[in-house]
Amino acid sequence: MPQGVTHRSTSTTGGYVLSSHSPRQGHLARRLFQLYAGLALYGASSALLVRSGLGLEPWNVLHQGLSERTGLSMGVVLTVLGAAILLLWIPLRQRPGLGTVSNVLVIGAAMDATLAVLPDAHGPAVRGTLMAAGIVLNGAATGLYIAARFGPGPRDGLMTGLHRRTGVSIRLVRTALEIGVVVTGFVLGGTVGAGTLLYAVTIGPLAQLFLRVFAVPPAPDGGTVLATGRPRRAILRP
């Protein structure tokens, strides 16, 4: 029998329970599906906002600005910057999870794949529709990803790590980071507009709604199945 897998008893690794009982396997399969569906949908929804031309999420303003300056695709910039941010986790004593690493690898690829097949939007009606769809789907993606409970994205881990190390409130750290990336991204050529503002005021309520919709019930025997590391407070950032 593989290490850490039993029919009824617990594994001490990380304090989590793993079981070969099929309902538990189905529970883990659902969580893995939500993780990767959420990450792929996040990348695709961000691409809709790019094509709308009406403004991006704060971090994607920076990614687009860096893309304009470097000639790299937005997805590649997102991936490289995400990996670089993970290095900052080391002095902050953050522990990545499966969701953290997957965040770095999947969202950028999904964004680039969607941008490759999605043409630029023309006309206010089409652009507005893409903007609205991008924001709503981004909220759904956030709910899917967080409800899977596989750990925060690299940018959220940076936020929570700075909060713990400095004692500054989460709200202030998040606000400072997002203002910083929006201003920097805008200076570099990123798009700031109505979509940026609408995203800022709606993503919280949307994410909360979809967290309830996609909440994963406890495993059948009451345990919690996690692939790696204890999850920390997570609000998805690309």
Side-chain angles (χ1 to χ4, degrees):
M1 184 177 296
Q3 183 180 3
V5 178
T6 65
H7 286 280
R8 301 291 297 177
S9 61
T10 63
S11 163
T12 59
T13 303
Y16 298 122
V17 181
L18 294 178
S19 169
S20 61
H21 185 50
S22 57
R24 304 285 310 275
Q25 293 175 339
H27 185 269
L28 179 59
R30 172 180 169 174
R31 291 177 58 230
L32 287 169
F33 173 79
Q34 284 198 196
L35 170 66
Y36 290 107
L39 293 175
L41 182 59
Y42 199 102
S45 63
S46 294
L48 295 181
L49 289 170
V50 173
R51 288 292 186 244
S52 78
L54 295 176
L56 303 175
E57 319 97 290
W59 279 96
N60 273 336
V61 175
L62 177 60
H63 299 149
Q64 188 181 53
L66 290 171
S67 175
E68 293 288 334
R69 296 290 180 169
T70 63
L72 299 173
S73 70
M74 279 189 68
V76 170
V77 170
L78 187 155
T79 300
V80 171
L81 186 59
I85 290 172
L86 278 182
L87 296 178
L88 298 177
W89 282 35
I90 297 173
L92 296 174
R93 298 180 181 178
Q94 292 282 90
R95 292 185 299 169
L98 175 64
T100 310
V101 177
S102 299
N103 182 296
V104 173
L105 299 176
V106 175
I107 294 179
M111 179 188 289
D112 277 351
T114 305
L115 288 172
V117 299
L118 189 66
D120 290 330
H122 300 286
V126 175
R127 296 174 69 192
T129 299
L130 285 179
M131 178 188 70
I135 292 172
V136 172
L137 291 176
N138 197 276
T142 301
L144 277 167
Y145 168 81
I146 295 176
R149 303 191 311 276
F150 280 105
R155 293 151 185 84
D156 278 322
L158 175 63
M159 176 184 66
T160 55
L162 287 170
H163 159 66
R164 282 195 304 274
R165 299 292 285 179
T166 65
V168 177
S169 69
I170 285 283
R171 179 179 299 179
L172 183 56
V173 171
R174 177 176 173 178
T175 300
L177 283 174
E178 295 200 350
I179 289 176
V181 298
V182 167
V183 170
T184 304
F186 178 73
V187 170
L188 292 173
T191 304
V192 176
T196 309
L197 178 59
L198 187 60
Y199 182 92
V201 299
T202 61
I203 193 60
L206 284 170
Q208 188 65 39
L209 168 65
F210 286 110
L211 275 169
R212 291 196 294 267
V213 171
F214 297 120
V216 180
D221 64 358
T224 302
V225 182
L226 286 182
T228 181
R230 292 187 180 275
R232 302 186 184 276
R233 185 181 305 177
I235 301 298
L236 177 65
R237 300 289 172 199

